[in-house]
Tab-separated table of all heavy atoms in Angstrom:
chain	number	residue	atom	x	y	z
A	1491	TYR	N	133.807	123.242	110.371
A	1491	TYR	CA	134.367	121.917	110.548
A	1491	TYR	C	134.300	121.509	112.061
A	1491	TYR	O	134.012	120.443	112.403
A	1491	TYR	CB	135.782	121.731	109.988
A	1491	TYR	CG	135.840	122.002	108.554
A	1491	TYR	CD1	136.699	122.923	107.924
A	1491	TYR	CD2	134.950	121.341	107.694
A	1491	TYR	CE1	136.709	123.175	106.625
A	1491	TYR	CE2	135.017	121.622	106.302
A	1491	TYR	CZ	135.885	122.540	105.845
A	1491	TYR	OH	135.940	122.768	104.463
A	1492	THR	N	134.724	122.468	112.880
A	1492	THR	CA	134.707	122.168	114.272
A	1492	THR	C	133.352	121.784	114.827
A	1492	THR	O	133.124	120.817	115.425
A	1492	THR	CB	135.242	123.379	115.096
A	1492	THR	OG1	136.602	123.687	114.714
A	1492	THR	CG2	135.281	123.126	116.564
A	1493	ILE	N	132.339	122.624	114.460
A	1493	ILE	CA	130.960	122.367	114.918
A	1493	ILE	C	130.434	121.066	114.312
A	1493	ILE	O	129.773	120.334	115.017
A	1493	ILE	CB	130.081	123.595	114.664
A	1493	ILE	CG1	130.476	124.766	115.551
A	1493	ILE	CG2	128.602	123.193	114.866
A	1493	ILE	CD1	129.918	126.106	115.229
A	1494	SER	N	130.780	120.828	113.088
A	1494	SER	CA	130.321	119.623	112.379
A	1494	SER	C	130.909	118.307	113.183
A	1494	SER	O	130.168	117.401	113.365
A	1494	SER	CB	130.746	119.536	110.905
A	1494	SER	OG	130.132	120.528	110.236
A	1495	ILE	N	132.148	118.435	113.433
A	1495	ILE	CA	132.829	117.304	114.118
A	1495	ILE	C	132.217	117.127	115.574
A	1495	ILE	O	132.002	116.038	116.018
A	1495	ILE	CB	134.308	117.458	114.084
A	1495	ILE	CG1	134.825	117.297	112.737
A	1495	ILE	CG2	135.033	116.469	114.996
A	1495	ILE	CD1	136.264	117.796	112.520
A	1496	VAL	N	132.006	118.305	116.239
A	1496	VAL	CA	131.420	118.247	117.563
A	1496	VAL	C	130.100	117.619	117.559
A	1496	VAL	O	129.738	116.772	118.350
A	1496	VAL	CB	131.427	119.629	118.193
A	1496	VAL	CG1	130.506	119.688	119.450
A	1496	VAL	CG2	132.782	120.133	118.566
A	1497	MET	N	129.259	117.966	116.537
A	1497	MET	CA	127.906	117.379	116.434
A	1497	MET	C	128.005	115.867	116.235
A	1497	MET	O	127.264	115.160	116.822
A	1497	MET	CB	127.146	118.041	115.308
A	1497	MET	CG	126.665	119.455	115.677
A	1497	MET	SD	125.788	120.320	114.395
A	1497	MET	CE	125.449	119.110	113.161
A	1498	CYS	N	128.838	115.457	115.344
A	1498	CYS	CA	129.017	114.029	115.068
A	1498	CYS	C	129.467	113.326	116.343
A	1498	CYS	O	128.942	112.260	116.662
A	1498	CYS	CB	130.015	113.765	113.926
A	1498	CYS	SG	130.073	112.096	113.347
A	1499	SER	N	130.408	113.906	117.035
A	1499	SER	CA	130.905	113.340	118.278
A	1499	SER	C	129.842	113.193	119.320
A	1499	SER	O	129.669	112.218	120.036
A	1499	SER	CB	132.095	114.138	118.778
A	1499	SER	OG	132.512	113.665	120.063
A	1500	GLN	N	128.983	114.322	119.387
A	1500	GLN	CA	127.867	114.249	120.345
A	1500	GLN	C	126.916	113.130	120.019
A	1500	GLN	O	126.440	112.372	120.900
A	1500	GLN	CB	127.140	115.556	120.290
A	1500	GLN	CG	127.771	116.730	120.996
A	1500	GLN	CD	126.985	118.018	120.848
A	1500	GLN	OE1	126.618	118.398	119.722
A	1500	GLN	NE2	126.697	118.662	121.987
A	1501	LEU	N	126.606	112.935	118.725
A	1501	LEU	CA	125.671	111.841	118.372
A	1501	LEU	C	126.209	110.497	118.740
A	1501	LEU	O	125.536	109.675	119.252
A	1501	LEU	CB	125.375	112.003	116.879
A	1501	LEU	CG	124.424	113.012	116.435
A	1501	LEU	CD1	124.373	113.093	114.937
A	1501	LEU	CD2	123.043	112.740	117.010
A	1502	PHE	N	127.559	110.338	118.437
A	1502	PHE	CA	128.157	109.046	118.685
A	1502	PHE	C	128.188	108.715	120.173
A	1502	PHE	O	127.747	107.640	120.584
A	1502	PHE	CB	129.559	109.071	118.134
A	1502	PHE	CG	130.370	107.774	118.528
A	1502	PHE	CD1	130.075	106.522	117.868
A	1502	PHE	CD2	131.252	107.790	119.552
A	1502	PHE	CE1	130.761	105.363	118.173
A	1502	PHE	CE2	131.927	106.625	119.901
A	1502	PHE	CZ	131.667	105.443	119.249
A	1503	PHE	N	128.613	109.733	121.013
A	1503	PHE	CA	128.654	109.427	122.451
A	1503	PHE	C	127.278	109.368	123.080
A	1503	PHE	O	127.087	108.533	123.984
A	1503	PHE	CB	129.548	110.424	123.129
A	1503	PHE	CG	131.014	110.090	122.909
A	1503	PHE	CD1	131.770	110.795	122.029
A	1503	PHE	CD2	131.626	109.106	123.625
A	1503	PHE	CE1	133.138	110.490	121.775
A	1503	PHE	CE2	132.883	108.751	123.349
A	1503	PHE	CZ	133.702	109.426	122.451
A	1504	ALA	N	126.326	110.114	122.561
A	1504	ALA	CA	124.965	109.986	123.042
A	1504	ALA	C	124.421	108.607	122.816
A	1504	ALA	O	123.773	107.993	123.603
A	1504	ALA	CB	124.047	111.058	122.425
A	1505	LEU	N	124.698	108.025	121.559
A	1505	LEU	CA	124.241	106.700	121.246
A	1505	LEU	C	124.913	105.695	122.135
A	1505	LEU	O	124.315	104.805	122.652
A	1505	LEU	CB	124.655	106.448	119.751
A	1505	LEU	CG	124.512	105.065	119.234
A	1505	LEU	CD1	123.045	104.662	119.251
A	1505	LEU	CD2	125.023	104.923	117.750
A	1506	LEU	N	126.244	105.907	122.395
A	1506	LEU	CA	127.002	105.008	123.222
A	1506	LEU	C	126.434	105.062	124.618
A	1506	LEU	O	126.188	104.037	125.290
A	1506	LEU	CB	128.503	105.385	123.250
A	1506	LEU	CG	129.425	104.461	123.959
A	1506	LEU	CD1	129.570	103.145	123.326
A	1506	LEU	CD2	130.788	105.133	124.088
A	1507	TRP	N	126.318	106.241	125.217
A	1507	TRP	CA	125.815	106.352	126.551
A	1507	TRP	C	124.372	105.948	126.750
A	1507	TRP	O	124.018	105.283	127.781
A	1507	TRP	CB	125.996	107.837	127.092
A	1507	TRP	CG	127.456	108.116	127.201
A	1507	TRP	CD1	128.529	107.330	127.437
A	1507	TRP	CD2	128.042	109.397	126.980
A	1507	TRP	NE1	129.654	107.965	127.456
A	1507	TRP	CE2	129.457	109.286	127.158
A	1507	TRP	CE3	127.574	110.704	126.656
A	1507	TRP	CZ2	130.252	110.378	127.037
A	1507	TRP	CZ3	128.413	111.752	126.535
A	1507	TRP	CH2	129.789	111.580	126.699
A	1508	ASP	N	123.497	106.201	125.767
A	1508	ASP	CA	122.164	105.709	125.859
A	1508	ASP	C	122.099	104.156	125.804
A	1508	ASP	O	121.424	103.514	126.546
A	1508	ASP	CB	121.353	106.139	124.678
A	1508	ASP	CG	120.671	107.567	124.934
A	1508	ASP	OD1	120.741	108.024	125.997
A	1508	ASP	OD2	120.185	108.113	123.843
A	1509	SER	N	122.954	103.566	124.925
A	1509	SER	CA	122.991	102.131	124.880
A	1509	SER	C	123.483	101.425	126.109
A	1509	SER	O	123.033	100.292	126.307
A	1509	SER	CB	123.900	101.717	123.665
A	1509	SER	OG	123.348	102.259	122.472
A	1510	PHE	N	124.343	102.028	126.817
A	1510	PHE	CA	124.813	101.398	128.107
A	1510	PHE	C	124.100	101.959	129.367
A	1510	PHE	O	124.499	101.509	130.462
A	1510	PHE	CB	126.336	101.621	128.235
A	1510	PHE	CG	127.154	100.819	127.204
A	1510	PHE	CD1	127.800	101.433	126.162
A	1510	PHE	CD2	127.227	99.442	127.380
A	1510	PHE	CE1	128.539	100.667	125.289
A	1510	PHE	CE2	127.992	98.672	126.473
A	1510	PHE	CZ	128.606	99.280	125.444
A	1511	GLY	N	123.235	102.983	129.114
A	1511	GLY	CA	122.568	103.530	130.323
A	1511	GLY	C	123.601	104.258	131.273
A	1511	GLY	O	123.416	104.300	132.447
A	1512	PHE	N	124.521	104.867	130.659
A	1512	PHE	CA	125.626	105.591	131.428
A	1512	PHE	C	125.051	106.681	132.266
A	1512	PHE	O	124.100	107.418	131.885
A	1512	PHE	CB	126.539	106.192	130.369
A	1512	PHE	CG	127.835	106.849	130.974
A	1512	PHE	CD1	128.734	106.079	131.631
A	1512	PHE	CD2	128.013	108.191	130.704
A	1512	PHE	CE1	129.841	106.626	132.125
A	1512	PHE	CE2	129.180	108.729	131.239
A	1512	PHE	CZ	130.048	108.025	131.922
A	1513	LEU	N	125.598	106.921	133.454
A	1513	LEU	CA	125.141	107.890	134.465
A	1513	LEU	C	123.683	107.829	134.723
A	1513	LEU	O	123.025	108.932	134.912
A	1513	LEU	CB	125.569	109.258	133.932
A	1513	LEU	CG	127.084	109.560	133.824
A	1513	LEU	CD1	127.328	110.829	133.188
A	1513	LEU	CD2	127.702	109.401	135.215
A	1514	GLY	N	123.079	106.673	134.764
A	1514	GLY	CA	121.677	106.590	135.140
A	1514	GLY	C	120.680	106.822	134.047
A	1514	GLY	O	119.483	106.897	134.290
A	1515	LEU	N	121.118	106.946	132.741
A	1515	LEU	CA	120.200	107.103	131.661
A	1515	LEU	C	119.433	105.803	131.455
A	1515	LEU	O	119.906	104.747	131.726
A	1515	LEU	CB	120.948	107.374	130.402
A	1515	LEU	CG	121.691	108.765	130.322
A	1515	LEU	CD1	122.475	108.833	128.974
A	1515	LEU	CD2	120.669	109.934	130.322
A	1516	GLU	N	118.171	105.966	130.928
A	1516	GLU	CA	117.395	104.789	130.589
A	1516	GLU	C	118.085	104.162	129.435
A	1516	GLU	O	118.456	104.782	128.430
A	1516	GLU	CB	115.964	105.255	130.285
A	1516	GLU	CG	115.069	104.053	129.865
A	1516	GLU	CD	113.651	104.547	129.558
A	1516	GLU	OE1	113.229	105.578	130.112
A	1516	GLU	OE2	113.095	103.950	128.734
A	1517	VAL	N	118.270	102.889	129.471
A	1517	VAL	CA	118.936	102.112	128.410
A	1517	VAL	C	118.049	102.141	127.146
A	1517	VAL	O	116.864	101.789	127.200
A	1517	VAL	CB	119.244	100.660	128.785
A	1517	VAL	CG1	119.791	99.804	127.670
A	1517	VAL	CG2	120.186	100.631	129.981
A	1518	VAL	N	118.680	102.558	126.036
A	1518	VAL	CA	118.026	102.568	124.732
A	1518	VAL	C	118.746	101.494	123.966
A	1518	VAL	O	119.945	101.619	123.716
A	1518	VAL	CB	118.063	103.904	124.038
A	1518	VAL	CG1	117.430	103.874	122.636
A	1518	VAL	CG2	117.411	104.966	124.939
A	1519	PRO	N	118.044	100.455	123.482
A	1519	PRO	CA	118.740	99.395	122.708
A	1519	PRO	C	119.506	99.935	121.478
A	1519	PRO	O	118.924	100.739	120.723
A	1519	PRO	CB	117.642	98.505	122.266
A	1519	PRO	CG	116.452	98.745	123.187
A	1519	PRO	CD	116.595	100.248	123.556
A	1520	PHE	N	120.685	99.491	121.313
A	1520	PHE	CA	121.546	99.885	120.238
A	1520	PHE	C	121.101	99.191	118.946
A	1520	PHE	O	120.754	97.998	118.987
A	1520	PHE	CB	122.982	99.479	120.502
A	1520	PHE	CG	123.879	99.724	119.397
A	1520	PHE	CD1	124.531	100.983	119.150
A	1520	PHE	CD2	124.271	98.671	118.427
A	1520	PHE	CE1	125.261	101.238	118.098
A	1520	PHE	CE2	125.148	98.948	117.435
A	1520	PHE	CZ	125.670	100.202	117.222
A	1521	THR	N	120.955	99.936	117.822
A	1521	THR	CA	120.599	99.340	116.536
A	1521	THR	C	121.637	99.706	115.530
A	1521	THR	O	122.268	100.781	115.598
A	1521	THR	CB	119.182	99.845	116.090
A	1521	THR	OG1	119.250	101.219	115.854
A	1521	THR	CG2	118.125	99.528	117.185
A	1522	MET	N	121.691	98.924	114.428
A	1522	MET	CA	122.644	99.264	113.369
A	1522	MET	C	122.172	100.485	112.681
A	1522	MET	O	123.029	101.247	112.144
A	1522	MET	CB	122.810	98.055	112.372
A	1522	MET	CG	123.566	96.893	112.945
A	1522	MET	SD	125.192	97.358	113.570
A	1522	MET	CE	125.955	97.711	112.020
A	1523	LYS	N	120.895	100.713	112.607
A	1523	LYS	CA	120.359	101.960	111.986
A	1523	LYS	C	120.912	103.188	112.640
A	1523	LYS	O	121.274	104.124	111.965
A	1523	LYS	CB	118.820	101.941	112.023
A	1523	LYS	CG	118.136	103.116	111.493
A	1523	LYS	CD	116.634	102.983	111.492
A	1523	LYS	CE	116.182	103.251	112.940
A	1523	LYS	NZ	114.687	103.273	113.111
A	1524	GLN	N	120.996	103.228	114.006
A	1524	GLN	CA	121.594	104.377	114.668
A	1524	GLN	C	123.117	104.506	114.300
A	1524	GLN	O	123.545	105.645	113.981
A	1524	GLN	CB	121.478	104.179	116.156
A	1524	GLN	CG	119.993	104.217	116.643
A	1524	GLN	CD	119.944	103.711	118.047
A	1524	GLN	OE1	120.594	102.743	118.461
A	1524	GLN	NE2	118.997	104.312	118.767
A	1525	LEU	N	123.745	103.414	114.254
A	1525	LEU	CA	125.231	103.459	113.979
A	1525	LEU	C	125.452	103.989	112.540
A	1525	LEU	O	126.257	104.805	112.203
A	1525	LEU	CB	125.851	102.155	114.122
A	1525	LEU	CG	127.396	102.079	113.794
A	1525	LEU	CD1	128.182	102.980	114.673
A	1525	LEU	CD2	127.877	100.585	113.943
A	1526	VAL	N	124.657	103.478	111.601
A	1526	VAL	CA	124.698	103.886	110.193
A	1526	VAL	C	124.483	105.384	110.134
A	1526	VAL	O	125.114	106.116	109.364
A	1526	VAL	CB	123.700	103.069	109.306
A	1526	VAL	CG1	123.630	103.689	107.912
A	1526	VAL	CG2	124.304	101.659	109.155
A	1527	GLY	N	123.413	105.863	110.865
A	1527	GLY	CA	123.167	107.324	110.838
A	1527	GLY	C	124.345	108.163	111.286
A	1527	GLY	O	124.652	109.190	110.612
A	1528	VAL	N	124.967	107.747	112.329
A	1528	VAL	CA	126.140	108.508	112.769
A	1528	VAL	C	127.307	108.414	111.750
A	1528	VAL	O	127.944	109.416	111.534
A	1528	VAL	CB	126.679	107.998	114.185
A	1528	VAL	CG1	128.002	108.567	114.601
A	1528	VAL	CG2	125.571	108.262	115.256
A	1529	LEU	N	127.502	107.242	111.142
A	1529	LEU	CA	128.511	107.104	110.103
A	1529	LEU	C	128.201	107.934	108.924
A	1529	LEU	O	129.131	108.512	108.276
A	1529	LEU	CB	128.752	105.621	109.804
A	1529	LEU	CG	129.271	104.754	110.937
A	1529	LEU	CD1	129.317	103.325	110.471
A	1529	LEU	CD2	130.732	105.202	111.344
A	1530	VAL	N	126.965	108.007	108.524
A	1530	VAL	CA	126.620	108.824	107.380
A	1530	VAL	C	126.924	110.299	107.630
A	1530	VAL	O	127.464	111.009	106.793
A	1530	VAL	CB	125.117	108.649	106.977
A	1530	VAL	CG1	124.602	109.679	106.040
A	1530	VAL	CG2	124.857	107.231	106.365
A	1531	ILE	N	126.619	110.791	108.808
A	1531	ILE	CA	126.885	112.161	109.148
A	1531	ILE	C	128.388	112.358	109.239
A	1531	ILE	O	128.923	113.386	108.630
A	1531	ILE	CB	126.267	112.561	110.499
A	1531	ILE	CG1	124.726	112.549	110.423
A	1531	ILE	CG2	126.770	113.865	111.065
A	1531	ILE	CD1	123.998	112.664	111.694
A	1532	GLY	N	129.129	111.467	109.764
A	1532	GLY	CA	130.583	111.534	109.729
A	1532	GLY	C	131.156	111.572	108.363
A	1532	GLY	O	132.096	112.293	107.995
A	1533	SER	N	130.654	110.771	107.455
A	1533	SER	CA	131.048	110.724	106.064
A	1533	SER	C	130.764	112.062	105.385
A	1533	SER	O	131.598	112.519	104.584
A	1533	SER	CB	130.365	109.580	105.361
A	1533	SER	OG	130.679	108.351	105.884
A	1534	GLY	N	129.590	112.597	105.682
A	1534	GLY	CA	129.227	113.875	105.155
A	1534	GLY	C	130.285	114.964	105.564
A	1534	GLY	O	130.604	115.872	104.746
A	1535	ILE	N	130.732	114.944	106.738
A	1535	ILE	CA	131.749	115.889	107.219
A	1535	ILE	C	133.000	115.783	106.491
A	1535	ILE	O	133.600	116.676	105.992
A	1535	ILE	CB	131.969	115.816	108.766
A	1535	ILE	CG1	130.739	116.195	109.582
A	1535	ILE	CG2	133.152	116.583	109.196
A	1535	ILE	CD1	130.741	115.785	111.046
A	1536	LEU	N	133.395	114.488	106.256
A	1536	LEU	CA	134.689	114.267	105.513
A	1536	LEU	C	134.522	114.687	104.099
A	1536	LEU	O	135.427	115.311	103.464
A	1536	LEU	CB	135.011	112.753	105.572
A	1536	LEU	CG	135.440	112.248	106.956
A	1536	LEU	CD1	135.665	110.770	106.924
A	1536	LEU	CD2	136.766	112.977	107.391
A	1537	LEU	N	133.428	114.397	103.499
A	1537	LEU	CA	133.091	114.908	102.140
A	1537	LEU	C	133.118	116.344	102.048
A	1537	LEU	O	133.707	116.967	101.124
A	1537	LEU	CB	131.816	114.316	101.625
A	1537	LEU	CG	131.348	114.663	100.208
A	1537	LEU	CD1	132.317	114.077	99.240
A	1537	LEU	CD2	129.932	114.126	99.939
């Protein structure tokens, strides 16, 4: 559970930081497809 939650958190924050270009990252446009992917993984952990 710990590793699953950490992976989901990593994906969510990577998506967030990519979308805002945090710490000099190249901005990657945010899409709903990316958000749905993270939510599906999170739902899988809960299930």
Side-chain angles (χ1 to χ4, degrees):
Y1491 300 128
T1492 301
I1493 292 170
S1494 298
I1495 292 166
V1496 166
M1497 286 177 12
C1498 189
S1499 176
Q1500 283 178 308
L1501 283 172
F1502 174 77
F1503 282 101
L1505 173 62
L1506 185 70
W1507 293 329
D1508 274 349
S1509 297
F1510 288 108
F1512 187 64
L1513 295 175
L1515 293 173
E1516 182 180 328
V1517 175
V1518 176
F1520 176 82
T1521 66
M1522 288 307 290
K1523 180 176 73 172
Q1524 294 166 324
L1525 180 61
V1526 168
V1528 172
L1529 292 175
V1530 165
I1531 292 170
S1533 300
I1535 293 168
L1536 292 173
L1537 180 63

